Amino acid sequence: MSEKPSLFSRFSGGVAQLTGKPATFVIAVAGILLWAVTGPIFGFSETWQLVVNTGTTIITFLMVFVLQNSQNRDGKAVQAKLDELILTSGAENRFMGIEHLDEKELRRLTELLRAAAESEPDHALAGKVDHIIRDRRTKLKKKG
């Protein structure tokens, strides 16, 4: 666990932290207001418009990759923590890997769990959950 994160991972984590602060939002709004106020000075020229369009497009494009990297790492870390909790608790091990179910299967599983929490005994739910997970694993094996 002592593996040092890559330079990009450290960078994207830092950028995600920085951009998520209220002060960063205020700075962005101030930048746009400054740009808008300078409109009359530059006669609302095409170059004046191009500055903000280009700047915001570049920032947005780069931020997608930086924030997605940070979000992916966070998601994987949360998943690893949940898997550890499942393995070390009385929870059902069959829930390991359900993040690979498709949207329809996850929705159905959520509905089953919600209904079971309200009415069914735990053993009745186990068979239904097994069926959903077993079907998905069979589909994945056929594809791979």
Side-chain angles (χ1 to χ4, degrees):
M1 291 287 180
S2 63
E3 189 175 319
K4 187 177 178 181
S6 70
L7 178 62
F8 184 70
S9 291
R10 290 192 315 266
F11 172 76
S12 66
V15 169
Q17 285 284 29
L18 182 66
T19 57
K21 295 183 180 205
T24 307
F25 176 76
V26 170
I27 290 169
V29 169
I32 294 298
L33 289 175
L34 178 65
W35 169 80
V37 168
T38 62
I41 297 169
F42 293 103
F44 299 101
S45 68
E46 287 184 22
T47 303
W48 172 80
Q49 293 176 31
L50 189 61
V51 167
V52 79
N53 290 338
T54 303
T56 56
T57 300
I58 290 170
I59 289 169
T60 302
F61 180 75
L62 296 175
M63 287 301 293
V64 166
F65 298 104
V66 169
L67 295 177
Q68 187 64 50
N69 176 269
S70 181
Q71 186 178 27
N72 287 348
R73 282 184 295 104
D74 289 349
K76 287 176 185 175
V78 167
Q79 192 60 53
K81 291 174 184 179
L82 290 171
D83 289 348
E84 174 66 11
L85 287 172
I86 290 170
L87 287 172
T88 60
S89 72
E92 297 288 338
N93 287 347
R94 73 178 123 247
F95 282 94
M96 296 279 297
I98 65 168
E99 68 274 9
H100 301 294
L101 297 175
D102 66 25
E103 190 65 34
K104 182 179 175 184
E105 293 163 330
L106 282 173
R107 203 174 312 115
R108 175 73 178 131
L109 183 57
T110 300
E111 290 169 9
L112 283 172
L113 292 169
R114 188 176 298 123
E118 295 173 0
S119 64
E120 294 184 31
D122 289 344
H123 71 301
L125 175 65
K128 292 178 180 180
V129 170
D130 278 343
H131 178 71
I132 290 172
I133 295 171
R134 208 178 8 243
D135 283 354
R136 180 59 177 173
R137 288 187 179 146
T138 302
K139 288 177 190 175
L140 290 174
K141 285 179 184 176
K142 287 180 181 178
K143 287 182 182 178

PDB file of all heavy atoms in Angstrom, residues 69-97:
ATOM      1  N   ASN A  69     -10.222  11.485 -13.826  1.00  0.00           N
ATOM      2  CA  ASN A  69      -9.179  10.676 -13.198  1.00  0.00           C
ATOM      3  C   ASN A  69      -9.354  10.642 -11.691  1.00  0.00           C
ATOM      4  O   ASN A  69      -9.304   9.580 -11.066  1.00  0.00           O
ATOM      5  CB  ASN A  69      -7.797  11.227 -13.563  1.00  0.00           C
ATOM      6  CG  ASN A  69      -6.691  10.488 -12.867  1.00  0.00           C
ATOM      7  OD1 ASN A  69      -6.276  10.863 -11.772  1.00  0.00           O
ATOM      8  ND2 ASN A  69      -6.222   9.420 -13.486  1.00  0.00           N
ATOM      9  N   SER A  70      -9.598  11.784 -11.116  1.00  0.00           N
ATOM     10  CA  SER A  70      -9.796  11.869  -9.676  1.00  0.00           C
ATOM     11  C   SER A  70     -11.037  11.089  -9.247  1.00  0.00           C
ATOM     12  O   SER A  70     -11.010  10.341  -8.268  1.00  0.00           O
ATOM     13  CB  SER A  70      -9.925  13.338  -9.269  1.00  0.00           C
ATOM     14  OG  SER A  70     -10.095  13.451  -7.882  1.00  0.00           O
ATOM     15  N   GLN A  71     -12.112  11.214  -9.990  1.00  0.00           N
ATOM     16  CA  GLN A  71     -13.350  10.508  -9.666  1.00  0.00           C
ATOM     17  C   GLN A  71     -13.181   8.999  -9.814  1.00  0.00           C
ATOM     18  O   GLN A  71     -13.689   8.231  -8.998  1.00  0.00           O
ATOM     19  CB  GLN A  71     -14.474  11.011 -10.564  1.00  0.00           C
ATOM     20  CG  GLN A  71     -15.828  10.443 -10.197  1.00  0.00           C
ATOM     21  CD  GLN A  71     -16.937  11.007 -11.070  1.00  0.00           C
ATOM     22  OE1 GLN A  71     -16.719  11.405 -12.204  1.00  0.00           O
ATOM     23  NE2 GLN A  71     -18.135  11.023 -10.537  1.00  0.00           N
ATOM     24  N   ASN A  72     -12.471   8.558 -10.843  1.00  0.00           N
ATOM     25  CA  ASN A  72     -12.240   7.122 -11.032  1.00  0.00           C
ATOM     26  C   ASN A  72     -11.460   6.537  -9.861  1.00  0.00           C
ATOM     27  O   ASN A  72     -11.784   5.464  -9.359  1.00  0.00           O
ATOM     28  CB  ASN A  72     -11.483   6.857 -12.331  1.00  0.00           C
ATOM     29  CG  ASN A  72     -12.338   7.043 -13.554  1.00  0.00           C
ATOM     30  OD1 ASN A  72     -13.556   7.160 -13.475  1.00  0.00           O
ATOM     31  ND2 ASN A  72     -11.698   7.098 -14.706  1.00  0.00           N
ATOM     32  N   ARG A  73     -10.417   7.233  -9.436  1.00  0.00           N
ATOM     33  CA  ARG A  73      -9.620   6.755  -8.303  1.00  0.00           C
ATOM     34  C   ARG A  73     -10.461   6.713  -7.031  1.00  0.00           C
ATOM     35  O   ARG A  73     -10.415   5.743  -6.277  1.00  0.00           O
ATOM     36  CB  ARG A  73      -8.380   7.620  -8.083  1.00  0.00           C
ATOM     37  CG  ARG A  73      -7.273   7.324  -9.067  1.00  0.00           C
ATOM     38  CD  ARG A  73      -5.998   8.108  -8.792  1.00  0.00           C
ATOM     39  NE  ARG A  73      -6.205   9.537  -8.972  1.00  0.00           N
ATOM     40  CZ  ARG A  73      -6.336  10.410  -7.976  1.00  0.00           C
ATOM     41  NH1 ARG A  73      -6.237  10.040  -6.741  1.00  0.00           N
ATOM     42  NH2 ARG A  73      -6.532  11.691  -8.227  1.00  0.00           N
ATOM     43  N   ASP A  74     -11.242   7.747  -6.802  1.00  0.00           N
ATOM     44  CA  ASP A  74     -12.111   7.775  -5.621  1.00  0.00           C
ATOM     45  C   ASP A  74     -13.118   6.624  -5.656  1.00  0.00           C
ATOM     46  O   ASP A  74     -13.356   5.965  -4.647  1.00  0.00           O
ATOM     47  CB  ASP A  74     -12.859   9.109  -5.521  1.00  0.00           C
ATOM     48  CG  ASP A  74     -11.957  10.268  -5.150  1.00  0.00           C
ATOM     49  OD1 ASP A  74     -10.795  10.021  -4.760  1.00  0.00           O
ATOM     50  OD2 ASP A  74     -12.414  11.424  -5.255  1.00  0.00           O
ATOM     51  N   GLY A  75     -13.707   6.387  -6.826  1.00  0.00           N
ATOM     52  CA  GLY A  75     -14.671   5.304  -6.967  1.00  0.00           C
ATOM     53  C   GLY A  75     -14.037   3.945  -6.701  1.00  0.00           C
ATOM     54  O   GLY A  75     -14.622   3.090  -6.022  1.00  0.00           O
ATOM     55  N   LYS A  76     -12.838   3.736  -7.224  1.00  0.00           N
ATOM     56  CA  LYS A  76     -12.149   2.464  -6.998  1.00  0.00           C
ATOM     57  C   LYS A  76     -11.779   2.289  -5.525  1.00  0.00           C
ATOM     58  O   LYS A  76     -11.865   1.187  -4.977  1.00  0.00           O
ATOM     59  CB  LYS A  76     -10.895   2.378  -7.867  1.00  0.00           C
ATOM     60  CG  LYS A  76     -11.212   2.158  -9.320  1.00  0.00           C
ATOM     61  CD  LYS A  76      -9.959   2.179 -10.174  1.00  0.00           C
ATOM     62  CE  LYS A  76     -10.316   2.070 -11.649  1.00  0.00           C
ATOM     63  NZ  LYS A  76      -9.142   2.199 -12.509  1.00  0.00           N
ATOM     64  N   ALA A  77     -11.386   3.373  -4.884  1.00  0.00           N
ATOM     65  CA  ALA A  77     -11.042   3.298  -3.459  1.00  0.00           C
ATOM     66  C   ALA A  77     -12.274   2.969  -2.623  1.00  0.00           C
ATOM     67  O   ALA A  77     -12.218   2.123  -1.726  1.00  0.00           O
ATOM     68  CB  ALA A  77     -10.425   4.619  -2.995  1.00  0.00           C
ATOM     69  N   VAL A  78     -13.386   3.600  -2.921  1.00  0.00           N
ATOM     70  CA  VAL A  78     -14.626   3.319  -2.194  1.00  0.00           C
ATOM     71  C   VAL A  78     -15.042   1.869  -2.431  1.00  0.00           C
ATOM     72  O   VAL A  78     -15.442   1.160  -1.502  1.00  0.00           O
ATOM     73  CB  VAL A  78     -15.753   4.294  -2.607  1.00  0.00           C
ATOM     74  CG1 VAL A  78     -17.103   3.828  -2.102  1.00  0.00           C
ATOM     75  CG2 VAL A  78     -15.445   5.691  -2.097  1.00  0.00           C
ATOM     76  N   GLN A  79     -14.927   1.406  -3.679  1.00  0.00           N
ATOM     77  CA  GLN A  79     -15.296   0.026  -3.990  1.00  0.00           C
ATOM     78  C   GLN A  79     -14.412  -0.952  -3.226  1.00  0.00           C
ATOM     79  O   GLN A  79     -14.893  -1.948  -2.692  1.00  0.00           O
ATOM     80  CB  GLN A  79     -15.184  -0.231  -5.496  1.00  0.00           C
ATOM     81  CG  GLN A  79     -15.808  -1.528  -5.913  1.00  0.00           C
ATOM     82  CD  GLN A  79     -17.284  -1.579  -5.575  1.00  0.00           C
ATOM     83  OE1 GLN A  79     -18.039  -0.694  -5.935  1.00  0.00           O
ATOM     84  NE2 GLN A  79     -17.700  -2.623  -4.892  1.00  0.00           N
ATOM     85  N   ALA A  80     -13.111  -0.667  -3.145  1.00  0.00           N
ATOM     86  CA  ALA A  80     -12.204  -1.546  -2.397  1.00  0.00           C
ATOM     87  C   ALA A  80     -12.561  -1.563  -0.916  1.00  0.00           C
ATOM     88  O   ALA A  80     -12.542  -2.621  -0.274  1.00  0.00           O
ATOM     89  CB  ALA A  80     -10.760  -1.086  -2.589  1.00  0.00           C
ATOM     90  N   LYS A  81     -12.932  -0.422  -0.379  1.00  0.00           N
ATOM     91  CA  LYS A  81     -13.333  -0.364   1.030  1.00  0.00           C
ATOM     92  C   LYS A  81     -14.616  -1.151   1.264  1.00  0.00           C
ATOM     93  O   LYS A  81     -14.745  -1.873   2.256  1.00  0.00           O
ATOM     94  CB  LYS A  81     -13.513   1.095   1.469  1.00  0.00           C
ATOM     95  CG  LYS A  81     -12.211   1.863   1.546  1.00  0.00           C
ATOM     96  CD  LYS A  81     -12.462   3.323   1.848  1.00  0.00           C
ATOM     97  CE  LYS A  81     -11.173   4.110   1.825  1.00  0.00           C
ATOM     98  NZ  LYS A  81     -11.393   5.536   2.092  1.00  0.00           N
ATOM     99  N   LEU A  82     -15.570  -1.017   0.353  1.00  0.00           N
ATOM    100  CA  LEU A  82     -16.816  -1.772   0.486  1.00  0.00           C
ATOM    101  C   LEU A  82     -16.567  -3.278   0.373  1.00  0.00           C
ATOM    102  O   LEU A  82     -17.133  -4.067   1.131  1.00  0.00           O
ATOM    103  CB  LEU A  82     -17.829  -1.327  -0.571  1.00  0.00           C
ATOM    104  CG  LEU A  82     -18.419   0.062  -0.376  1.00  0.00           C
ATOM    105  CD1 LEU A  82     -19.239   0.459  -1.596  1.00  0.00           C
ATOM    106  CD2 LEU A  82     -19.247   0.126   0.878  1.00  0.00           C
ATOM    107  N   ASP A  83     -15.702  -3.674  -0.568  1.00  0.00           N
ATOM    108  CA  ASP A  83     -15.371  -5.089  -0.706  1.00  0.00           C
ATOM    109  C   ASP A  83     -14.729  -5.619   0.574  1.00  0.00           C
ATOM    110  O   ASP A  83     -15.037  -6.724   1.018  1.00  0.00           O
ATOM    111  CB  ASP A  83     -14.434  -5.310  -1.893  1.00  0.00           C
ATOM    112  CG  ASP A  83     -15.123  -5.126  -3.233  1.00  0.00           C
ATOM    113  OD1 ASP A  83     -16.371  -5.048  -3.259  1.00  0.00           O
ATOM    114  OD2 ASP A  83     -14.413  -5.047  -4.254  1.00  0.00           O
ATOM    115  N   GLU A  84     -13.865  -4.829   1.181  1.00  0.00           N
ATOM    116  CA  GLU A  84     -13.233  -5.233   2.442  1.00  0.00           C
ATOM    117  C   GLU A  84     -14.273  -5.387   3.542  1.00  0.00           C
ATOM    118  O   GLU A  84     -14.235  -6.338   4.323  1.00  0.00           O
ATOM    119  CB  GLU A  84     -12.178  -4.199   2.851  1.00  0.00           C
ATOM    120  CG  GLU A  84     -11.555  -4.442   4.206  1.00  0.00           C
ATOM    121  CD  GLU A  84     -10.721  -5.713   4.296  1.00  0.00           C
ATOM    122  OE1 GLU A  84     -10.433  -6.331   3.260  1.00  0.00           O
ATOM    123  OE2 GLU A  84     -10.371  -6.096   5.425  1.00  0.00           O
ATOM    124  N   LEU A  85     -15.223  -4.468   3.601  1.00  0.00           N
ATOM    125  CA  LEU A  85     -16.290  -4.578   4.599  1.00  0.00           C
ATOM    126  C   LEU A  85     -17.140  -5.828   4.373  1.00  0.00           C
ATOM    127  O   LEU A  85     -17.518  -6.508   5.328  1.00  0.00           O
ATOM    128  CB  LEU A  85     -17.181  -3.333   4.578  1.00  0.00           C
ATOM    129  CG  LEU A  85     -16.564  -2.067   5.158  1.00  0.00           C
ATOM    130  CD1 LEU A  85     -17.471  -0.874   4.895  1.00  0.00           C
ATOM    131  CD2 LEU A  85     -16.305  -2.229   6.643  1.00  0.00           C
ATOM    132  N   ILE A  86     -17.425  -6.123   3.127  1.00  0.00           N
ATOM    133  CA  ILE A  86     -18.200  -7.329   2.824  1.00  0.00           C
ATOM    134  C   ILE A  86     -17.439  -8.568   3.269  1.00  0.00           C
ATOM    135  O   ILE A  86     -17.996  -9.464   3.901  1.00  0.00           O
ATOM    136  CB  ILE A  86     -18.532  -7.403   1.315  1.00  0.00           C
ATOM    137  CG1 ILE A  86     -19.561  -6.328   0.953  1.00  0.00           C
ATOM    138  CG2 ILE A  86     -19.052  -8.794   0.930  1.00  0.00           C
ATOM    139  CD1 ILE A  86     -19.776  -6.149  -0.546  1.00  0.00           C
ATOM    140  N   LEU A  87     -16.157  -8.612   2.950  1.00  0.00           N
ATOM    141  CA  LEU A  87     -15.349  -9.795   3.272  1.00  0.00           C
ATOM    142  C   LEU A  87     -15.162  -9.992   4.772  1.00  0.00           C
ATOM    143  O   LEU A  87     -15.061 -11.119   5.243  1.00  0.00           O
ATOM    144  CB  LEU A  87     -13.985  -9.700   2.590  1.00  0.00           C
ATOM    145  CG  LEU A  87     -13.999  -9.926   1.085  1.00  0.00           C
ATOM    146  CD1 LEU A  87     -12.634  -9.606   0.490  1.00  0.00           C
ATOM    147  CD2 LEU A  87     -14.404 -11.351   0.751  1.00  0.00           C
ATOM    148  N   THR A  88     -15.102  -8.923   5.518  1.00  0.00           N
ATOM    149  CA  THR A  88     -14.797  -9.036   6.946  1.00  0.00           C
ATOM    150  C   THR A  88     -16.028  -8.954   7.840  1.00  0.00           C
ATOM    151  O   THR A  88     -15.890  -8.946   9.054  1.00  0.00           O
ATOM    152  CB  THR A  88     -13.790  -7.947   7.374  1.00  0.00           C
ATOM    153  OG1 THR A  88     -14.361  -6.671   7.108  1.00  0.00           O
ATOM    154  CG2 THR A  88     -12.476  -8.109   6.644  1.00  0.00           C
ATOM    155  N   SER A  89     -17.203  -8.897   7.224  1.00  0.00           N
ATOM    156  CA  SER A  89     -18.424  -8.793   8.024  1.00  0.00           C
ATOM    157  C   SER A  89     -19.329  -9.989   7.749  1.00  0.00           C
ATOM    158  O   SER A  89     -18.965 -10.906   7.025  1.00  0.00           O
ATOM    159  CB  SER A  89     -19.167  -7.503   7.679  1.00  0.00           C
ATOM    160  OG  SER A  89     -19.742  -7.606   6.397  1.00  0.00           O
ATOM    161  N   GLY A  90     -20.489  -9.934   8.281  1.00  0.00           N
ATOM    162  CA  GLY A  90     -21.468 -10.980   8.042  1.00  0.00           C
ATOM    163  C   GLY A  90     -22.238 -10.767   6.755  1.00  0.00           C
ATOM    164  O   GLY A  90     -23.185 -11.501   6.476  1.00  0.00           O
ATOM    165  N   ALA A  91     -21.845  -9.789   5.963  1.00  0.00           N
ATOM    166  CA  ALA A  91     -22.545  -9.507   4.708  1.00  0.00           C
ATOM    167  C   ALA A  91     -22.307 -10.638   3.708  1.00  0.00           C
ATOM    168  O   ALA A  91     -21.356 -11.404   3.827  1.00  0.00           O
ATOM    169  CB  ALA A  91     -22.063  -8.185   4.113  1.00  0.00           C
ATOM    170  N   GLU A  92     -23.166 -10.716   2.737  1.00  0.00           N
ATOM    171  CA  GLU A  92     -23.067 -11.767   1.732  1.00  0.00           C
ATOM    172  C   GLU A  92     -21.918 -11.482   0.766  1.00  0.00           C
ATOM    173  O   GLU A  92     -21.876 -10.433   0.142  1.00  0.00           O
ATOM    174  CB  GLU A  92     -24.380 -11.841   0.939  1.00  0.00           C
ATOM    175  CG  GLU A  92     -25.570 -12.212   1.775  1.00  0.00           C
ATOM    176  CD  GLU A  92     -25.543 -13.679   2.194  1.00  0.00           C
ATOM    177  OE1 GLU A  92     -24.875 -14.484   1.532  1.00  0.00           O
ATOM    178  OE2 GLU A  92     -26.209 -13.996   3.195  1.00  0.00           O
ATOM    179  N   ASN A  93     -21.008 -12.438   0.619  1.00  0.00           N
ATOM    180  CA  ASN A  93     -19.878 -12.279  -0.296  1.00  0.00           C
ATOM    181  C   ASN A  93     -20.319 -12.184  -1.745  1.00  0.00           C
ATOM    182  O   ASN A  93     -19.588 -11.669  -2.580  1.00  0.00           O
ATOM    183  CB  ASN A  93     -18.885 -13.433  -0.133  1.00  0.00           C
ATOM    184  CG  ASN A  93     -18.094 -13.335   1.145  1.00  0.00           C
ATOM    185  OD1 ASN A  93     -18.102 -12.307   1.811  1.00  0.00           O
ATOM    186  ND2 ASN A  93     -17.425 -14.404   1.501  1.00  0.00           N
ATOM    187  N   ARG A  94     -21.515 -12.651  -2.059  1.00  0.00           N
ATOM    188  CA  ARG A  94     -21.990 -12.618  -3.439  1.00  0.00           C
ATOM    189  C   ARG A  94     -22.152 -11.178  -3.945  1.00  0.00           C
ATOM    190  O   ARG A  94     -22.268 -10.955  -5.139  1.00  0.00           O
ATOM    191  CB  ARG A  94     -23.293 -13.407  -3.577  1.00  0.00           C
ATOM    192  CG  ARG A  94     -24.472 -12.729  -2.979  1.00  0.00           C
ATOM    193  CD  ARG A  94     -25.748 -13.538  -3.186  1.00  0.00           C
ATOM    194  NE  ARG A  94     -26.327 -13.801  -1.884  1.00  0.00           N
ATOM    195  CZ  ARG A  94     -26.428 -14.975  -1.319  1.00  0.00           C
ATOM    196  NH1 ARG A  94     -26.006 -16.025  -1.936  1.00  0.00           N
ATOM    197  NH2 ARG A  94     -26.952 -15.120  -0.142  1.00  0.00           N
ATOM    198  N   PHE A  95     -22.147 -10.204  -3.044  1.00  0.00           N
ATOM    199  CA  PHE A  95     -22.268  -8.810  -3.471  1.00  0.00           C
ATOM    200  C   PHE A  95     -20.944  -8.237  -3.991  1.00  0.00           C
ATOM    201  O   PHE A  95     -20.924  -7.150  -4.552  1.00  0.00           O
ATOM    202  CB  PHE A  95     -22.806  -7.930  -2.335  1.00  0.00           C
ATOM    203  CG  PHE A  95     -24.285  -8.074  -2.150  1.00  0.00           C
ATOM    204  CD1 PHE A  95     -24.794  -8.975  -1.239  1.00  0.00           C
ATOM    205  CD2 PHE A  95     -25.164  -7.333  -2.901  1.00  0.00           C
ATOM    206  CE1 PHE A  95     -26.160  -9.125  -1.078  1.00  0.00           C
ATOM    207  CE2 PHE A  95     -26.525  -7.475  -2.756  1.00  0.00           C
ATOM    208  CZ  PHE A  95     -27.031  -8.381  -1.841  1.00  0.00           C
ATOM    209  N   MET A  96     -19.879  -8.987  -3.813  1.00  0.00           N
ATOM    210  CA  MET A  96     -18.595  -8.554  -4.361  1.00  0.00           C
ATOM    211  C   MET A  96     -18.713  -8.507  -5.886  1.00  0.00           C
ATOM    212  O   MET A  96     -19.171  -9.454  -6.510  1.00  0.00           O
ATOM    213  CB  MET A  96     -17.488  -9.541  -3.978  1.00  0.00           C
ATOM    214  CG  MET A  96     -17.212  -9.631  -2.503  1.00  0.00           C
ATOM    215  SD  MET A  96     -16.166  -8.324  -1.908  1.00  0.00           S
ATOM    216  CE  MET A  96     -14.684  -8.639  -2.793  1.00  0.00           C
ATOM    217  N   GLY A  97     -18.319  -7.403  -6.484  1.00  0.00           N
ATOM    218  CA  GLY A  97     -18.304  -7.297  -7.939  1.00  0.00           C
ATOM    219  C   GLY A  97     -19.614  -6.897  -8.577  1.00  0.00           C
ATOM    220  O   GLY A  97     -19.708  -6.877  -9.805  1.00  0.00           O
TER     221      GLY A  97
END
